[in-house]
Amino acid sequence: VTDTYSFNASAALLPAPVRGRLREAIEDWQGTGLSILEVSQRSGDFEQLVDRVLSRLRAVLAVPASHAVLLAPGSSSHQFAMVPLNLLRGRGRAAYVVSGTWSQRAAAEARRWCAVQIAASTAGAHRVPRQQELTVDPDVAYLHYTANETLEGVEFAYVPDGGGPPVAADWSSALFARPLDAARFGVVYAGAQKHLGAAGLTVVIAREDLLGRAAPGTPTVFDYAVHREAGSLHASSVAMAWYVADLMLEWLAAQGGVGALAREAEGKAAVVYAALDAAPLYVNAVEPGSRSRTTIPFALREPGLQARFLEQAAADGLVGLTGPRGLRAGLGNALPLEGARRLAAFLGDFAVRHG
Ligand code: PLP
């Protein structure tokens, strides 16, 4: 019997010990006799869980005291609105780097509240812009970019610098796959479902001095300062998502923290790209310097073979390779190097048989 490995990029893989403890928590959470879903969100136990998650997150990402760490309700799409509402601070313009689908969506949402200056656009170009290609007007309130475009598989290996305005960044599909120097950002956000376990919460790391100046009319639940002040417990929340985040953060720390995970992510991606590059059957058009560590879209030069590819991969225990456009290998933090190696071996074998 071979292990099954999932390459689905939209939901986090859960390490086996995390799954086991989750199962227990549905029945009896921490010996309380209650399911995690039955625990009062106003109980000391739940407050401790929330505090523990926030302090683990701060520790694992080494977030400095200059920045607040919170888990905001909702998903990354909520952040497309929360970023302008909180960061415009009376200004009427923001700059967006457009490198693919998700940055385009973020920019479109911002246009509801301000003028958007496109600092650079490489959408459709299979790469992210280089720093010297960026133009950021001095009057913008912030510069936004998407660290990893989950669909196009292009990733920034650097933090764009707008020459002054705070940087707001969507790290939804890049979290833990690269070291994150929080000090360089005004705001970093990442939906929890991709790397912390379950949908319903979004990691937000925000520079303290930017908070408390949300635009007039901002809904209370969209104001970062409200969540910071309430210790991320302003409103009833997704108990299960908090508990998964706790378990995942414990697991991440045990793996050696972000440095170790980033090295592993780099290693896993290298194995898969090497297999794709070695066989003419596969196409990945992304420029080498922009290749994603976590979401690798690819196609077969003979598209008619795709159904057979997926079928044979599944028979080999390799699932979740259907992408939004063609094929995609999502390399989650919990995917072991062995999973990437198995995929690489399959890519090689399939190309020999059908190339
Ligand atoms: N940003 C990126 C980079 C994403 O990959 C996604 C979803 O895949 C989103 C934002 C939107 O996320 P959500 O579904 O959490 O709103």
Side-chain angles (χ1 to χ4, degrees):
V1 184
T2 49
D3 287 331
T4 297
Y5 292 112
S6 171
F7 295 90
N8 167 25
S10 56
L13 292 183
L14 301 179
V18 169
R19 278 200 204 188
R21 288 177 61 194
L22 220 42
R23 211 176 301 122
E24 284 165 24
I26 301 262
E27 278 300 318
D28 179 0
W29 180 58
Q30 294 186 166
T32 53
L34 297 176
S35 164
I36 178 70
L37 300 168
E38 295 172 322
V39 172
S40 161
Q41 302 220 346
R42 302 296 160 203
S43 69
D45 283 344
F46 193 79
E47 284 170 7
Q48 274 171 25
L49 167 66
V50 168
D51 285 347
R52 194 163 62 235
V53 168
L54 297 177
S55 54
R56 279 189 162 144
L57 202 48
R58 185 180 281 284
V60 86
L61 293 171
V63 180
S66 52
H67 286 60
V69 175
L70 47 104
L71 282 176
S75 71
S76 299
S77 300
H78 292 62
Q79 295 308 311
F80 295 168
M82 286 174 87
V83 166
L85 287 170
N86 285 273
L87 258 57
L88 280 170
R89 294 161 294 138
R91 300 197 188 199
R93 295 184 83 213
Y96 278 71
V97 178
V98 173
S99 53
T101 306
W102 290 112
S103 50
Q104 234 149 15
R105 292 242 192 129
E109 185 74 6
R111 281 194 190 94
R112 295 163 66 96
W113 292 285
C114 65
V116 167
Q117 184 230 329
I118 301 298
S121 176
T122 51
H126 307 295
R127 66 178 184 90
V128 297
R130 288 173 265 283
Q131 172 66 45
Q132 59 271 30
E133 291 177 90
L134 303 185
T135 312
V136 179
D137 294 345
D139 64 335
V140 298
Y142 61 89
L143 167 67
H144 180 281
Y145 81 105
T146 303
N148 183 62
E149 288 283 2
T150 317
L151 275 81
E152 289 80 4
V154 299
E155 183 170 7
F156 282 81
Y158 71 98
V159 176
D161 180 357
V167 176
D170 178 354
W171 274 59
S172 295
S173 53
L175 197 64
F176 306 127
R178 285 185 191 268
L180 189 158
D181 181 4
R184 299 182 62 179
F185 296 90
V187 171
V188 183
Y189 60 91
Q193 74 273 21
K194 290 195 201 295
H195 296 294
L196 272 186
L201 295 170
T202 296
V203 173
V204 176
I205 300 167
R207 222 172 75 196
E208 289 280 359
D209 65 311
L210 296 172
L211 303 186
R213 283 184 279 165
T218 298
T220 308
V221 291
F222 272 45
D223 185 338
Y224 289 143
V226 168
H227 296 293
R228 196 257 327 259
E229 248 104 82
S232 295
L233 274 171
H234 168 72
S236 301
S237 192
V238 200
M240 197 69 182
W242 279 103
Y243 188 53
V244 187
D246 189 33
L247 297 174
M248 284 297 280
L249 286 162
E250 193 180 10
W251 180 84
L252 289 163
Q255 304 310 299
V258 179
L261 287 163
R263 275 191 299 280
E264 196 168 310
E266 190 180 7
K268 288 185 288 192
V271 165
V272 175
Y273 283 117
L276 291 172
D277 291 344
L281 176 64
Y282 305 111
V283 193
N284 170 294
V286 178
E287 269 191 11
S290 297
R291 284 176 154 187
S292 168
R293 286 185 180 179
T294 53
T295 53
I296 307 181
F298 61 101
L300 304 180
R301 241 175 254 285
E302 290 175 54
L305 284 174
Q306 185 165 313
R308 196 178 309 165
F309 177 92
L310 289 168
E311 195 179 297
Q312 293 185 5
D316 239 23
L318 307 170
V319 301
L321 287 161
T322 308
R325 304 168 187 164
L327 300 164
R328 178 173 64 186
L331 309 179
N333 291 305
L335 179 81
L337 180 58
E338 179 53 23
R341 288 201 178 119
R342 280 264 306 283
L343 174 61
F346 174 78
L347 288 167
D349 289 348
F350 188 85
V352 167
R353 277 181 276 130
H354 302 283

